[in-house]
Amino acid sequence: MPFYTADKRCIRVKIMTYAVITFSPVQGFIEKSRKLRDLYGASIILSYLSQQLVEAAKTYQLEIISPGLVNVAQGMPNRILIKGDFSQHPIEAWVPNTLLGAWKAILSECKQWIEHNIPEHSPDFFYHWHRDWEMWGTHTWEIFWGSGNSIPEAMEDLETRKLSRNWTGINWIGESSSLTGIDAIAWPGLGSGSRNPKTLKHSDENAKIESFYAQLATVLETPSRSISGEDEQLVEGKFLDPHERLSIPELVKRLITRYEIRRSFEQIPALKRFTDLERKPDPEQNHSGQWTGWFMGDGDKVGKKLKEIADQSGDHGLQSFSKSMRTWGRDFMQKFPSDLGRVIYAGGDDFLGVIYSKNPNQPIPPQRALKWLMELNNEWKTHKQEITLSVGFVWAGHSVPQRDVLQHCREAEKQAKSLGRDRVTLRIVFNSGQSVQWTCPWEHLSLLNQYRDRNGGQNWSQVYSDLAQLKARHSIEPKSKNPDYKLALALMNIYFQNSGEMILKNQQKLVGNTSPTSLLQWIENLILVGWQLCSSVEP
């Protein structure tokens, strides 16, 4: 912009401003995943899209303030803070083109791979789905950005812009069928204009869909090969069951984990040998299904912390903070025991992972999962940043759908935050869909280790039986008008090394409020969750 000096000379001054860029839906894109491979593929795609925005900003000589470690694509956060002169390269000119261009390239690669490996071969087998892929390419993401002359101003502008939708819905063909709607089954006949509901024979169409997925499953079972060095096979696990039916985005999440497709894109992280999660019973392999642990964590009040750093330390402080958190996320993924499960993503201040056994005949014991969880907060503190951690941990039965498990994780994490943050919520989800949960600050999670039965051992059946007897006699009734918590505290003294007085004294911190009802419910949930996770009894 022009600036006039006292002697009327005109000087053009470069305005340095800030911009924050993000896109959505992120959580929905991740959580709408049927299998562990889909979940991992969703994380890969999101990290790649963010990486492409960072790379585009660098080409325009814009300074990347956050995220740190811009050369590490894995776990790249979807909120990007940049600084520079946007008069020459307006945000609205390159951000949508960059993100949508990267997404459309992924879709195109997956679509072409399918059509190449399963070519059209008869009048009944033509690909009519081109429009549907184009619509997904254009209408999957909402893109938002905010700008200002300071970082807080840019963040506030972003939140204001997010209040209005940046979205165009897809008007498919006017029905919500699983064969034509937004979640339609992806198959060559998708989008065919010859589909007349009056004359359509669903049995014929279902037979064609079944044939397509049988062919696709067969092709995907062929091991992918490396083109670097020797031509060695990369065993990446099973991709598709012939009985599965996927939508276009679900299919893309699955295929992006395929080596031949990943190698077409720079910055997509390498995927080591992938063993998918077998949760449900399989009579052929002689296993009855396995319980699994899912953990979702998020730093507390990170937005407030970023504003404080911006005010006190400016750009350099934010860059240092982001680099420390991303370094922690990278190291966390690398150090996670391979025999314990897998970290899906760790973007720095948020992460998601699953505890499971690659051998379903030897599932991970809940005691081992709990032992790892008890060490998590100390691991979190190694980044040495002054933010606490809230985590939702779900121990789920084999029949609970993965999408439901992820929703339980999200709810458990929110519960931990709503009760005061800096704590963990443990939720047991049974195959029936029912659940029980217990929330406590990290420093008191060790209460579960303090349990001793009347013989000095760790037979949780004793305290579980005593609790059931007291409830049956209406001696412990959390939902009564004036509940008496003395017997519940006596249980804590008998079985948890005289912790009753400590619990009563610190009730506000432990429980989240001071009501007798909440205290009784907290103690009851402690015993129920402990009995499921710490005893040898099968849930």
Side-chain angles (χ1 to χ4, degrees):
M1 63 175 291
F3 172 77
Y4 293 92
T5 63
D7 57 356
K8 303 297 179 75
R9 286 182 298 137
C10 179
I11 301 176
R12 187 164 295 275
V13 179
K14 181 181 292 186
I15 300 296
M16 302 299 287
T17 56
Y18 296 88
V20 187
I21 306 166
T22 190
F23 57 93
S24 66
V26 172
Q27 293 302 329
F29 189 72
I30 289 176
E31 292 175 8
K32 289 182 179 178
S33 301
R34 304 184 188 207
K35 299 182 68 176
L36 183 61
R37 184 179 288 277
D38 304 344
L39 202 58
Y40 203 87
S43 174
I44 289 175
I45 291 171
L46 291 169
S47 295
Y48 177 72
L49 296 180
S50 294
Q51 181 71 15
Q52 293 309 293
L53 290 173
V54 168
E55 293 297 321
K58 289 163 63 176
T59 61
Y60 296 129
Q61 284 76 51
L62 300 172
E63 182 181 1
I64 310 298
I65 298 176
S66 176
L69 294 185
V70 294
N71 295 323
V72 178
Q74 194 167 28
M76 181 70 74
N78 71 307
R79 180 169 294 213
I80 300 162
L81 174 61
I82 56 179
K83 177 182 179 181
D85 179 10
F86 302 112
S87 60
Q88 297 297 319
H89 304 288
I91 296 292
E92 60 271 18
W94 61 270
V95 167
N97 291 338
T98 300
L99 187 138
L100 295 180
W103 170 238
K104 289 178 181 179
I106 291 175
L107 290 175
S108 177
E109 187 70 25
C110 293
K111 176 175 174 289
Q112 290 179 27
W113 188 89
I114 296 173
E115 294 175 354
H116 173 75
N117 286 276
I118 310 178
E120 298 174 332
H121 55 265
S122 69
D124 293 332
F125 196 88
F126 282 104
Y127 286 98
H128 300 279
W129 59 2
H130 311 295
R131 177 180 178 273
D132 298 86
W133 285 83
E134 291 174 358
M135 297 294 273
W136 274 112
T138 305
H139 301 296
T140 300
W141 306 105
E142 295 182 80
I143 306 170
F144 302 98
W145 60 86
S147 59
N149 292 321
S150 66
I151 295 174
E153 186 178 329
M155 291 180 174
E156 184 175 345
D157 185 45
L158 172 66
E159 296 305 316
T160 301
R161 289 173 180 264
K162 286 173 69 175
L163 295 176
S164 61
R165 300 292 301 274
N166 181 21
W167 185 263
T168 302
I170 304 174
N171 182 17
W172 298 90
I173 64 171
E175 59 173 300
S176 59
S177 165
S178 62
L179 296 178
T180 59
I182 191 169
D183 289 324
I185 297 172
W187 70 293
L190 180 65
S192 173
S194 62
R195 297 185 75 256
N196 187 337
K198 294 182 179 180
T199 60
L200 180 65
K201 293 183 178 180
H202 290 286
S203 58
D204 293 343
E205 192 167 73
N206 290 334
K208 294 175 183 178
I209 293 174
E210 183 177 350
S211 173
F212 171 72
Y213 275 90
Q215 293 179 67
L216 183 59
T218 300
V219 171
L220 285 170
E221 282 302 299
T222 305
S224 41
R225 292 178 173 272
S226 170
I227 59 172
S228 59
E230 297 183 2
D231 189 29
E232 56 184 16
Q233 291 188 343
L234 299 178
V235 181
E236 297 182 303
K238 190 171 184 177
F239 280 84
L240 181 71
D241 187 287
H243 301 291
E244 287 187 87
R245 302 293 181 262
L246 307 178
S247 65
I248 287 177
E250 290 174 329
L251 192 55
V252 170
K253 292 177 192 177
R254 193 76 57 90
L255 292 178
I256 198 65
T257 63
R258 181 86 180 177
Y259 175 75
E260 301 102 313
I261 296 175
R262 285 199 318 276
R263 75 185 185 195
S264 301
F265 302 93
E266 295 182 2
Q267 284 93 39
I268 284 189
L271 179 63
K272 297 179 180 179
R273 178 172 177 171
F274 190 91
T275 303
D276 213 335
L277 171 54
E278 294 184 38
R279 298 173 58 215
K280 295 184 177 182
D282 188 345
E284 293 183 1
Q285 297 187 15
N286 195 31
H287 73 80
S288 58
Q290 60 170 316
W291 283 66
T292 50
W294 303 73
F295 53 92
M296 181 178 289
D298 187 33
D300 297 323
K301 296 183 178 180
V302 174
K304 181 179 179 181
K305 182 65 176 180
L306 291 175
K307 291 181 180 180
E308 291 178 358
I309 294 174
D311 292 337
Q312 298 173 6
S313 306
D315 300 352
H316 178 72
L318 285 175
Q319 289 173 329
S320 177
F321 174 82
S322 180
K323 185 176 181 180
S324 295
M325 297 307 304
R326 289 217 64 211
T327 299
W328 180 88
R330 180 194 62 189
D331 295 343
F332 177 62
M333 293 190 71
Q334 293 176 350
K335 292 189 296 184
F336 190 81
S338 60
D339 63 335
L340 191 61
R342 180 184 293 271
V343 176
I344 306 302
Y345 68 82
D349 65 298
D350 64 334
F351 52 86
L352 169 67
V354 55
I355 294 175
Y356 72 103
S357 172
K358 276 79 171 179
N359 180 2
N361 291 308
Q362 298 177 345
I364 301 294
Q367 296 91 336
R368 186 184 176 198
L370 183 60
K371 180 181 178 181
W372 173 85
L373 185 65
M374 287 183 172
E375 299 170 354
L376 177 58
N377 195 43
N378 289 331
E379 173 65 27
W380 170 259
K381 293 178 181 178
T382 58
H383 56 62
K384 299 181 180 179
Q385 303 299 314
E386 296 179 356
I387 56 172
T388 56
L389 173 68
S390 295
V391 167
F393 177 84
V394 173
W395 188 250
H398 58 75
S399 294
V400 184
Q402 181 173 289
R403 294 186 182 187
D404 292 354
V405 173
L406 294 171
Q407 184 61 36
H408 278 291
C409 277
R410 178 65 54 195
E411 292 173 359
E413 182 194 284
K414 289 182 179 178
Q415 177 76 357
K417 288 184 177 292
S418 67
L419 292 178
R421 301 183 177 87
D422 192 18
R423 57 194 69 209
V424 56
T425 294
L426 291 80
R427 178 179 290 194
I428 314 296
V429 184
F430 302 95
N431 289 323
S432 63
Q434 295 182 332
S435 63
V436 61
Q437 67 181 16
W438 177 61
T439 304
C440 77
W442 286 103
E443 60 188 283
H444 294 287
L445 185 58
S446 58
L447 268 172
L448 293 171
N449 284 338
Q450 294 178 23
Y451 174 79
R452 296 292 184 275
D453 60 30
R454 288 185 287 271
N455 299 319
Q458 293 188 333
N459 180 8
W460 278 79
S461 296
Q462 288 188 9
V463 67
Y464 181 82
S465 177
D466 285 356
L467 175 65
Q469 290 287 339
L470 290 171
K471 290 188 67 177
R473 297 175 183 179
H474 305 288
S475 300
I476 292 182
E477 289 188 298
K479 296 182 180 180
S480 64
K481 291 184 178 180
N482 298 303
D484 187 353
Y485 51 77
K486 293 180 181 178
L487 283 175
L489 291 178
L491 285 178
M492 299 305 298
N493 286 330
I494 293 171
Y495 291 106
F496 293 88
Q497 302 183 26
N498 295 309
S499 60
E501 183 178 350
M502 181 277 294
I503 291 172
L504 186 62
K505 182 179 179 180
N506 297 281
Q507 180 179 342
Q508 176 64 49
K509 181 178 181 181
L510 289 169
V511 181
N513 61 61
T514 57
S515 75
T517 297
S518 297
L519 177 59
L520 273 174
Q521 193 66 62
W522 189 86
I523 293 175
E524 179 182 340
N525 289 340
L526 162 62
I527 294 172
L528 294 177
V529 168
W531 185 65
Q532 297 292 347
L533 292 180
C534 301
S535 70
S536 58
V537 177
E538 192 71 21

